[in-house]
């Protein structure tokens, strides 16, 4: 999706859910003020108003909240995890006369020191296009794709590596924050915060949370590179089933109804069926 | 691999896991090479004979899914499941291993294998609690509500930490799962106050688990989504739209975050996506928003496509016994008056009828009838599926009549079938199905009682079925054949010449509509031949006889020597030819000559005899006329 202020293009963004858009903070340099309204053009061409609600200067990321009175459908989740060796492409182009970027994912996750000084989990990407300057592409989503997999948004383009031999040019190596890193950086996506959103905490709970905040999370693996492998290993020890499966009956009932109305229909389908 | 391995990780296991890890890192191992290592692993007859097999299988399957090797992961799990069947002692494993394997199977939808692993829980407080909680989850998913509740209560009781001890991760896992099961069951049963109290308890367990694991752990996200779902259901029941939307937004964020951690292929990601699709659909419905509904439909399509792409086991496509079991539990769980109740009654009735067909067990049929009656009773008169459910009941009643000869069942089948047809609008896509079932019942009544009224109604129904089916529809010829049979029966019963004329036209149309090489072509020929011979017998119509000979000859020619109907078709041809010869006095001598050649070489081959006769007496009407003169 595209971001504008007063019809002036600012850059690209990624609709995480119906209320939030992610982008690179530097894309918003053109804003007259960080709390100013900006226009968001969604994938279906509709236009809604939003405002920056969080910024992470260290990682050059910003979160835009869409105005509450805008009716936006929940997007189909397309976030995923990159695999080293897969292909990637950047569907966002700064202008119609610019090329679309694509190339190879060199690494599914590496530690990367941003220009701002932050150390983040990032994808190292090789671009096929060799533009020498990739300005304007930042903030756009990185899609990873491979055989037998649906394309998935695996990162947000952030920085380009300089060419060591010619400082006026960039090498064809780019860095993108992984989606896991991006989502970890905003409290809007924090699990404890989301529990509070669901059910405001009691005083007792607030006290427990503050005690917990004093000690680091014992299972955080943010400093590991093989994060996916590590996570799978952790989960392979589990002896208790995923509690989300208790909802399965409702989903199967809906699926059954939906499959009897494959076009989806314009109205709520009537349950029932002879088979 | 640092943690998932161990002293018993050797040989084929080591190769398969190492290959998968290297492929995932892009480290010069192809996916095809990974598949090969897993194939080798599946040849290991001692696959389960190692202490850490549960962990290894779970880990390897996760890696394979992440690599997009869904078929390979499925083959591995199927191999493991087959090991249980072929080698039951293999199930004598540690409770932790059983639970680990059960988790792997359950996450991928293979509930029978998970249930088998959980049967006979092991000793030890934590493992016992975990097994009970897992049993509760599996029972709920299999719609065995009573046992799910029992196991969930026992799981919670089994986790009683000593005073002052901090709760462990496993204890909190058990509490979250068991409490979620109880809250879900309470909500399904309309016990909303109880459900809300359980959601309060669930919140506490989820908060403590998240504090223990941190917010970046997949289990924290699963717990959050479980709480958000419970909150959503509470809000929906209370009619609080803001709470509904808040819960939906939390689930949407969690869905993205889960996929960002585990990838879209992991069962936990898929499960959250399914919840998101469900919640978004129901939210759109509650809010009455068409735009949200369109988005929800897109989300549902994507969810179904993704699940299909991962080639998971579909719990609703499991075996017949499984289906009966789960549908019976669903019916028991859904309150009377709920719109979903009739759906599950219908599914249960269908499964019971299928079991009767497979086993001949009349108890299944009798239950199918009772269930079918209940499904109809639970369906409003103006419901679009009422006709279908009536027809299913009529079908079960017809089966009972065939099985027992009980005329009361047939009477009821006809009444129910008639109601089904009456409830069907002309443009209903299954109208001909309902007409056919009703027509079958009427013909059965005629066959039993000789009641011409039933036959007359069967003909009317048959005509309606033909009229309702386009000429190029594959079922058109089937309806023609049924109508033809009824019309010939009517002629035989009443001597109604118009019925016979119509039967001939219908049978001609059936022959014309069936390709020569279709197995049914010869059947239609034989029926047409019979009808034509009937017309000849009644009217002496020479044209009918000539056509009958031609048709019967084609029928015999198309019937293999060893076909059971060949003798009957030869008899008909014999009859037709004798009749033709009888009418053709100038050929009597040739017939007599044939009679004299009974000792000839080809006597043993009736067809050759008749063909020889045919060469002597070609059924040419003009020739016939000449002979008459």
């Amino acid at each position: 999706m595209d971001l504008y202020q007063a019809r002036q293009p600012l850059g690209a963004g990624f609709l995480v859910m119906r209320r939030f858009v992610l982008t690179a903070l530097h894309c918003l340099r053109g804003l007259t003020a960080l709390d100013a309204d900006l226009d968001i053009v969604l994938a279906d061409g509709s236009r809604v108003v939003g405002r920056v609600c969080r910024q992470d200067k260290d990682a050059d990321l910003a979160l835009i909240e869409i105005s509450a009175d805008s009716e936006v459908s929940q997007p189909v989740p397309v976030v995923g995890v990159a695999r080293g060796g897969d292909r990637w492409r950047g569907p966002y182009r700064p202008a119609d006369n610019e090329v679309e970027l694509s190339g190879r994912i060199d690494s599914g996750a590496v530690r990367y020191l941003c220009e701002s000084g932050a150390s983040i989990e990032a994808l190292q990407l090789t671009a096929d296009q060799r533009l020498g300057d990739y300005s304007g592409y930042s903030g756009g989503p990185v899609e990873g794709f491979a055989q037998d997999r649906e394309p998935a948004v695996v990162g947000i383009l952030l920085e380009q590596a300089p060419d060591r031999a010619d400082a006026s040019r960039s090498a064809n190596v780019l860095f993108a924050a992984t989606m896991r890193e991006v989502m970890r950086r905003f409290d809007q996506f924090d699990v404890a915060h989301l529990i509070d959103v669901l059910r405001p905490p009691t005083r007792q709970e607030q006290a427990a949370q503050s005690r917990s905040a004093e000690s680091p999370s014992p299972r955080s693996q943010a400093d590991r590179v093989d994060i996916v492998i590590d996570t799978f290993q952790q989960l392979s020890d589990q002896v208790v089933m995923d509690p989300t499966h208790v909802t399965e009956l409702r989903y199967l009932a809906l699926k059954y109804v939906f499959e009897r109305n494959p076009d989806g229909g314009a109205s709520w389908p009537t349950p029932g069926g002879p088979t | 691999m640092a943690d998932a391995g161990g002293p018993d990780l050797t040989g084929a296991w080591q190769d398969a896991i190492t290959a998968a890890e290297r492929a995932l890192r892009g480290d010069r191992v192809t996916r095809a090479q990974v598949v090969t290592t897993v194939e080798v692993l599946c040849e290991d007859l001692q696959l389960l004979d190692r202490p850490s097999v549960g962990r290894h299988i779970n880990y390897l399957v996760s890696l394979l899914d992440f690599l997009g090797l869904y078929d390979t992961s499925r083959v591995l799990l199927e191999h493991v499941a087959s090991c249980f069947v072929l080698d039951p002692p293999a199930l004598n494993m540690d409770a932790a291993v059983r639970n680990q394997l059960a988790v792997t199977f359950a996450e991928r939808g293979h509930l029978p294998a998970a249930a088998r692993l959980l049967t006979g829980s092991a000793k030890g407080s934590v493992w016992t609690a975990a097994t009970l909680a897992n049993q509760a989850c599996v029972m709920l998913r299999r719609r065995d509500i009573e046992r799910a509740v029992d196991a969930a209560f026992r799981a919670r009781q089994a986790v009683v930490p000593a005073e002052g001890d901090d709760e462990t991760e496993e204890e909190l896992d058990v509490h979250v799962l068991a409490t979620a099961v109880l809250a879900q069951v309470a909500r399904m049963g309309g016990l909303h106050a109880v459900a809300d109290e359980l959601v309060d308890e669930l919140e506490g367990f989820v908060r403590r688990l998240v504090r223990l694991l941190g917010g970046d752990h997949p289990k924290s996200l699963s717990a959050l989504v479980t709480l958000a779902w419970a909150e959503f259901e509470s809000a929906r029941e209370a009619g609080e739209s803001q709470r509904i939307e808040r819960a939906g937004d939390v689930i949407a964020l969690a869905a993205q975050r889960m996929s960002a951690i585990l990838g879209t292929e992991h069962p936990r990601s898929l499960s959250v996506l399914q919840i998101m699709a469900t919640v978004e659909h129901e939210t759109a419905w509650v809010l009455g928003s068409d735009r949200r509904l369109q988005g929800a439909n897109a989300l549902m399509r994507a969810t179904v496509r993704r699940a299909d792409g991962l080639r998971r086991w579909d719990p609703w496509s499991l075996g017949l016994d499984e289906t009966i079991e789960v549908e019976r539990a669903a019916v028991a769980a859904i309150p009377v008056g709920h719109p979903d109740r009739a759906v599950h009654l219908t599914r249960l009735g269908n499964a019971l009828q299928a079991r009767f067909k497979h086993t001949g067990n009349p108890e299944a049929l009798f239950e199918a009838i009772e269930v079918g009656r209940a499904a109809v009773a639970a369906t409003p008169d103006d419901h679009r599926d009422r006709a279908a459910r009536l027809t299913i009941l009529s079908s079960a009643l017809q089966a009972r009549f065939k099985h027992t000869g009980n005329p009361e069942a047939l009477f009821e089948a006809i009444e129910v079938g008639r109601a089904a047809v009456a409830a069907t609008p002309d443009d209903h896509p299954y109208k001909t199905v309902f007409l056919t079932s009703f027509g079958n019942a009427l013909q059965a009544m005629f066959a039993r009682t000789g009641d011409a009224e039933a036959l007359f109604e069967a003909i009317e129904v048959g005509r309606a079925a033909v009229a309702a089916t386009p000429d190029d529809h594959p079922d058109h010829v089937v309806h023609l054949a049924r109508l033809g049979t009824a019309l010939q029966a009517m002629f035989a019963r009443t001597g109604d010449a118009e019925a016979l004329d119509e039967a001939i036209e219908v049978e001609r149309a059936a022959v014309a509509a069936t390709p020569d090489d279709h197995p049914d072509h010869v059947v239609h020929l034989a029926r047409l031949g019979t009808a034509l011979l009937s017309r000849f017998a009644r009217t002496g119509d020479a044209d009918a006889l000539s056509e009958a000979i031609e048709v019967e000859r084609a029928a015999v020619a198309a019937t293999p020597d060893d076909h059971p109907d060949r003798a009957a078709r030869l008899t008909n041809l014999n009859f037709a030819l004798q009749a033709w010869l009888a009418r053709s006095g100038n050929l009597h001598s040739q017939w007599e000559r044939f009679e004299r050649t009974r000792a000839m070489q080809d006597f043993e081959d009736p067809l050759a005899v008749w063909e020889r006769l045919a060469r002597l007496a070609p059924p040419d009407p003009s020739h016939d006329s000449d002979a008459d003169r």
Side-chain angles (χ1 to χ4, degrees):
Chain A
M1 63 181 43
D2 298 317
L3 306 175
Y4 294 85
Q5 187 183 32
R7 300 191 176 279
Q8 292 299 311
L10 297 170
F14 170 61
L15 185 67
V16 187
M17 49 85 76
R18 67 187 187 92
R19 285 274 158 262
F20 292 119
V21 174
L22 275 168
T23 188
L25 181 59
H26 74 257
C27 288
L28 305 176
R29 283 177 192 144
L31 270 179
T32 52
L34 267 179
D35 60 351
D37 284 349
L38 46 83
D39 291 335
I40 302 160
V41 179
L42 302 174
D44 64 1
S46 60
R47 192 175 282 260
V48 295
V49 175
R51 186 175 288 186
V52 176
C53 67
R54 287 286 188 282
Q55 45 181 311
D56 184 328
K57 292 177 180 170
D58 286 349
D60 189 28
L61 291 165
L63 189 65
I64 298 164
E65 184 167 11
I66 294 173
S67 167
D69 56 6
S70 302
E71 190 181 38
V72 180
S73 295
Q74 238 23 309
V76 176
V78 289
V79 167
V81 179
R83 295 189 315 220
D86 284 353
R87 297 286 299 170
W88 71 276
R89 77 179 190 105
Y92 173 74
R93 295 183 296 155
D96 288 349
N97 60 350
E98 300 278 8
V99 301
E100 185 178 286
L101 298 181
S102 62
R104 182 180 186 274
I105 298 173
D106 299 319
S107 170
V110 294
R111 281 282 123 203
Y112 177 67
L113 189 62
C114 298
E115 289 176 12
S116 58
S119 174
I120 66 166
E121 180 189 306
L123 309 175
Q124 181 178 310
L125 312 170
T126 302
D128 294 337
Q129 287 70 26
R130 297 179 181 274
L131 299 184
D133 178 10
Y134 298 88
S135 301
Y137 287 94
S138 300
V142 174
E143 279 187 6
F145 53 96
Q147 186 182 352
D148 290 339
R149 294 182 88 184
E150 285 189 14
V153 174
V154 294
I156 301 287
L157 270 180
L158 290 184
E159 295 183 3
Q160 48 191 325
D163 188 326
R164 289 189 170 198
D166 180 358
S168 65
R169 288 178 54 84
S170 290
N172 65 327
V173 176
L174 307 174
F175 290 96
T178 65
M179 292 311 296
R180 172 182 170 126
E181 175 72 38
V182 169
M183 301 183 88
R184 194 165 42 203
R185 287 192 162 266
F186 295 104
D187 59 0
Q188 276 82 354
F189 304 147
D190 178 71
V191 173
H193 168 77
L194 291 171
I195 295 174
D196 291 346
V197 168
L198 280 174
R199 300 172 72 92
T202 61
R203 284 184 181 175
Q204 193 180 357
E205 277 297 339
Q206 285 174 329
Q209 283 174 22
S210 60
R211 282 196 302 276
S212 172
E214 291 165 4
S215 57
S217 169
R219 298 296 292 268
S220 172
Q221 300 295 325
D223 56 342
R224 299 286 293 267
V225 173
D226 284 339
I227 288 168
V228 172
I229 287 180
D230 181 74
T231 306
F232 288 165
Q233 287 181 356
Q234 284 184 40
L235 289 178
S236 66
D237 279 329
Q238 64 185 329
V239 294
V240 181
M241 292 176 181
D242 177 0
T244 62
H245 283 305
V246 303
T247 68
E248 185 181 57
L249 293 181
R250 292 299 295 264
Y251 167 73
L252 289 175
L254 175 62
K255 176 173 176 263
Y256 175 71
V257 170
F258 189 81
E259 287 179 341
R260 289 174 56 79
N261 298 270
D263 296 332
S267 60
W268 181 251
T270 308
T275 56
Chain B
M1 179 173 165
D3 299 323
D8 62 327
L9 181 61
T10 55
W13 275 109
Q14 181 75 61
D15 292 344
I17 288 176
T18 302
E21 286 177 342
R22 288 183 59 189
L24 189 147
R25 293 189 180 106
D27 187 15
R28 298 187 300 279
V29 172
T30 66
R31 298 189 326 148
Q33 289 170 313
V34 176
V35 171
T36 303
T37 62
V38 175
E39 286 171 351
V40 171
L41 183 61
C42 287
E43 292 169 4
D44 183 359
L45 298 176
Q46 304 298 317
L47 184 73
L48 303 177
D49 188 21
R50 59 196 75 236
S52 55
V53 64
R55 195 185 343 153
H56 291 163
I57 288 175
N58 196 332
Y59 180 56
L60 181 55
V61 166
S62 295
L63 292 174
L64 294 172
D65 284 347
F66 192 73
L67 289 167
L69 299 170
Y70 312 120
D71 284 335
T72 306
S73 75
R74 188 181 169 120
V75 165
L76 175 61
L77 288 179
E78 285 175 344
H79 179 68
V80 173
S82 69
C83 287
F84 300 151
V85 176
L86 298 173
D87 182 22
L91 282 168
N92 295 329
M93 53 182 65
D94 182 78
V97 180
R98 278 171 174 258
N99 278 303
Q100 286 165 343
L101 284 173
V103 167
T104 307
F105 278 107
E107 283 191 339
R108 287 159 181 82
H110 199 356
L111 299 182
R116 195 172 297 122
L117 281 157
L118 294 170
T119 303
S121 63
K123 307 298 181 189
S125 60
V126 172
W127 301 132
T128 301
T131 305
L132 288 167
N134 288 337
Q135 281 181 330
C137 184
V138 170
M139 293 304 163
L140 175 61
R141 292 175 69 187
R142 300 175 88 187
R143 285 163 262 188
D144 186 344
I145 305 301
E146 196 174 328
R147 290 167 69 188
V149 170
D150 178 63
F153 273 123
R154 289 170 59 205
R156 279 161 49 109
Q157 288 168 355
V159 183
V160 184
E163 196 168 335
D165 284 0
D166 288 335
E167 292 163 300
T168 66
E169 180 180 329
E170 286 77 13
E171 286 168 349
L172 285 167
D173 283 342
V174 167
H175 273 305
V176 168
L177 179 56
T179 307
V181 167
L182 292 173
Q184 183 68 34
V185 171
R187 193 71 69 190
M188 287 165 64
L191 303 172
H192 300 295
V194 175
D196 285 342
E197 285 180 19
L198 287 162
V199 177
D200 291 342
E201 287 185 40
L202 181 64
E203 178 193 344
F205 295 129
V206 170
R207 284 187 184 277
R208 298 206 286 280
L209 184 67
V210 171
R211 279 202 290 272
L212 184 67
L213 298 178
D216 216 27
H217 197 288
K219 292 206 306 193
S220 294
L221 282 165
S222 291
L224 168 67
V225 170
T226 306
L227 178 63
W229 166 263
E231 176 73 4
F232 169 80
E233 292 222 294
S234 172
R236 188 187 53 189
E237 180 57 30
E240 297 176 25
S241 57
Q242 283 191 340
R243 276 177 70 206
I244 288 174
E245 294 222 63
R246 263 205 309 269
D249 287 348
V250 166
I251 290 169
L253 279 174
Q256 296 278 28
R257 236 192 130 177
M258 187 73 91
S259 294
I261 293 173
L262 293 174
T264 55
E265 304 82 2
H266 197 277
R268 282 183 185 257
S269 302
L270 183 61
S271 181
V272 177
L273 183 63
Q274 290 174 341
I275 294 171
M276 182 185 168
T278 308
V279 164
E280 190 60 13
H281 233 281
E282 298 201 14
T283 301
W285 183 47
V286 169
L287 300 180
S289 165
D290 276 348
R291 181 168 183 160
R292 289 287 288 271
L293 184 59
Q294 287 168 13
N297 284 337
L299 189 56
M300 193 67 196
R301 278 191 287 274
T303 304
V304 171
R305 185 182 69 246
R306 203 169 287 178
D308 290 347
L310 295 176
R311 300 170 179 84
R312 300 284 188 241
W313 279 284
D314 182 349
W316 284 11
S317 68
L318 298 174
L320 200 55
D321 289 348
E322 175 84 2
T323 304
I324 290 170
E325 192 178 339
V326 296
E327 293 298 345
R328 198 174 272 148
V331 169
I334 297 174
V336 173
H338 193 285
D340 287 350
R341 186 175 169 81
V343 175
H344 293 287
L345 283 164
T346 306
R347 291 174 64 88
L348 176 58
N350 280 340
L352 288 163
Q353 281 201 59
R355 175 184 274 179
F356 168 72
K357 284 176 186 168
H358 287 137
T359 65
N361 177 4
E363 292 301 321
L365 182 59
F366 299 158
E367 188 182 354
I369 291 169
E370 289 307 313
V371 166
R373 286 177 181 138
V376 169
T379 307
D381 286 351
D382 59 350
H383 194 286
R384 62 176 188 163
D385 288 331
R386 184 172 174 81
R389 291 171 186 162
L390 284 163
T391 297
I392 290 167
L393 173 58
S394 177
S395 169
L397 289 161
Q398 289 179 56
R400 181 172 189 173
F401 166 71
K402 283 181 190 167
H403 188 73
T404 65
N406 178 358
E408 293 300 322
L410 188 56
F411 295 149
E412 188 181 353
I414 289 173
E415 287 309 308
V416 170
R418 188 176 285 124
V421 170
T424 311
D426 285 343
D427 60 351
H428 194 291
Y430 296 116
K431 182 177 181 180
T432 55
V433 175
F434 307 152
L435 286 166
T436 301
S437 174
F438 181 37
N440 288 343
L442 290 165
Q443 292 208 41
M445 175 62 80
F446 168 72
R448 176 178 170 85
T449 65
D451 178 1
E453 287 297 316
L455 186 57
F456 181 78
E457 195 173 1
I459 290 169
E460 289 299 313
V461 167
R463 287 176 181 141
V466 169
T469 314
D471 288 357
D472 58 351
H473 191 284
D475 285 344
H476 184 68
V477 69
V478 176
H479 298 310
L480 285 169
R482 288 176 192 275
L483 175 58
T485 301
L487 288 163
Q488 289 201 55
M490 176 61 86
F491 168 73
R493 170 78 170 77
T494 65
D496 181 353
E498 287 185 1
L500 182 60
D501 290 344
E502 187 180 351
I504 290 170
E505 292 307 313
V506 165
E507 297 289 4
R508 281 182 181 138
V511 169
T514 312
D516 288 356
D517 57 351
H518 192 283
D520 286 343
H521 184 71
V522 64
V523 177
H524 300 316
L525 282 170
R527 286 179 178 161
L528 174 58
T530 302
L532 289 163
L533 285 173
S534 295
R535 176 186 276 176
F536 167 73
R538 189 175 190 282
T539 65
D541 181 348
D543 290 346
L545 181 59
S546 296
E547 186 180 352
I549 290 171
E550 186 179 347
V551 166
E552 293 288 0
R553 183 180 293 142
V556 168
T559 307
D561 289 351
D562 57 351
H563 194 283
D565 290 339
R566 184 174 172 83
R569 288 169 191 163
L570 280 168
T571 301
N572 280 353
L573 180 55
N574 184 7
F575 172 80
L577 288 166
Q578 287 199 45
W580 185 85
L581 288 166
R583 286 175 52 81
S584 309
N586 63 329
L587 289 176
H588 278 185
S589 58
Q590 292 176 6
W591 171 251
E592 288 166 2
R593 189 172 66 192
F594 165 70
E595 287 291 315
R596 288 196 302 276
T597 63
R598 280 179 180 271
M600 67 187 185
Q601 188 177 0
D602 57 0
F603 180 74
E604 296 299 325
D605 183 351
L607 181 59
V609 173
W610 296 125
E611 285 180 345
R612 180 184 172 85
L613 267 176
R615 282 197 296 275
L616 292 171
D620 181 349
S622 60
H623 193 172
D624 187 58
S625 299
D626 290 340
D628 282 343
R629 278 195 297 273

